[in-house]
Amino acid sequence: MTNWQKEIISILRNMPEKKFILLSYKFLNKTGFSNVELMYDKLSHNIFGSATIELGVLSYQFEILINRSDKVSVSTITDFRKRMNDYTNKGLLISTGDFSRDIKRESRRKKEIPIDLINGIDLVNRIKNLKLGVGINERNDPVVDRDWFNALINQE
């Protein structure tokens, strides 16, 4: 992991919950989701929600779980699936950490709703590509735009 990626992960993990939810809205909307609804769960310290993605004439209903810890347990996925309803087509689990083989296997378990996984490195790379607080310097290297994150955090 590069220094800029580590810095973004640190910012995301230490950001106040309300501001992290705001960033999550921005990320999901820029990724192509609509009807995004998110809420913070104080008990689990996770963000849960739902969103729709439209692909031409097709639309898919996603349940979303955003986790800001180093590791995600298999029970996190099983608990996440219990929150899904009959209208859910897919799950999306975003984490600032990484996923074990067991998590990856569980996310694709047969006869269950599939869950797409975005780990910390993938997340920060997507944030960079969406230009959410990451710029490019004259050498074409990613640079964290601290002013952008500070403005987000200090936004009323």
Side-chain angles (χ1 to χ4, degrees):
M1 189 179 316
T2 65
N3 286 337
W4 75 269
Q5 290 170 323
K6 288 178 188 174
E7 186 174 354
I8 296 286
I9 295 280
S10 176
I11 290 169
L12 297 177
R13 287 188 178 156
N14 293 303
M15 188 178 280
E17 287 85 12
K18 288 182 180 179
K19 301 307 178 176
F20 186 70
I21 289 173
L22 179 60
L23 177 61
S24 298
Y25 273 110
K26 289 178 183 285
F27 173 78
L28 291 167
N29 284 318
K30 278 197 146 203
T31 304
F33 286 95
S34 60
N35 304 318
V36 178
E37 295 180 18
L38 300 174
M39 68 178 176
Y40 181 72
D41 180 42
K42 290 180 183 179
L43 187 61
S44 68
H45 301 288
N46 291 323
I47 296 169
F48 290 97
S50 62
T52 304
I53 196 157
E54 296 180 24
L55 305 170
V57 296
L58 302 174
S59 66
Y60 296 93
Q61 180 67 36
F62 277 75
E63 287 298 314
I64 298 168
L65 168 61
I66 304 172
N67 175 290
R68 293 197 288 174
S69 63
D70 286 339
K71 301 251 185 235
V72 177
S73 67
V74 172
S75 66
T76 302
I77 285 200
T78 55
D79 291 346
F80 180 37
R81 275 205 174 99
K82 289 176 188 173
R83 294 179 74 105
M84 295 179 182
N85 60 42
D86 292 340
Y87 300 105
T88 304
N89 300 108
K90 288 192 81 141
L92 176 61
L93 172 54
I94 301 171
S95 177
T96 57
D98 204 4
F99 301 114
S100 67
R101 269 192 205 136
D102 291 338
I103 295 289
K104 292 174 184 174
R105 187 177 20 243
E106 180 64 26
S107 73
R108 296 280 178 229
R109 190 159 42 123
K110 289 183 180 181
K111 298 185 181 177
E112 294 287 349
I113 295 172
I115 299 173
D116 292 335
L117 304 173
I118 298 177
N119 68 14
I121 291 175
D122 192 22
L123 176 61
V124 296
N125 288 332
R126 289 170 188 255
I127 286 172
K128 177 191 75 144
N129 292 339
L130 295 170
K131 297 177 174 56
L132 293 172
V134 181
I136 303 294
N137 68 13
E138 58 278 349
R139 293 185 318 212
N140 236 10
D141 296 325
V143 178
V144 177
D145 185 349
R146 290 177 193 86
D147 291 338
W148 188 92
F149 283 102
N150 288 334
L152 177 74
I153 290 169
N154 295 321
Q155 183 178 335
E156 290 297 318

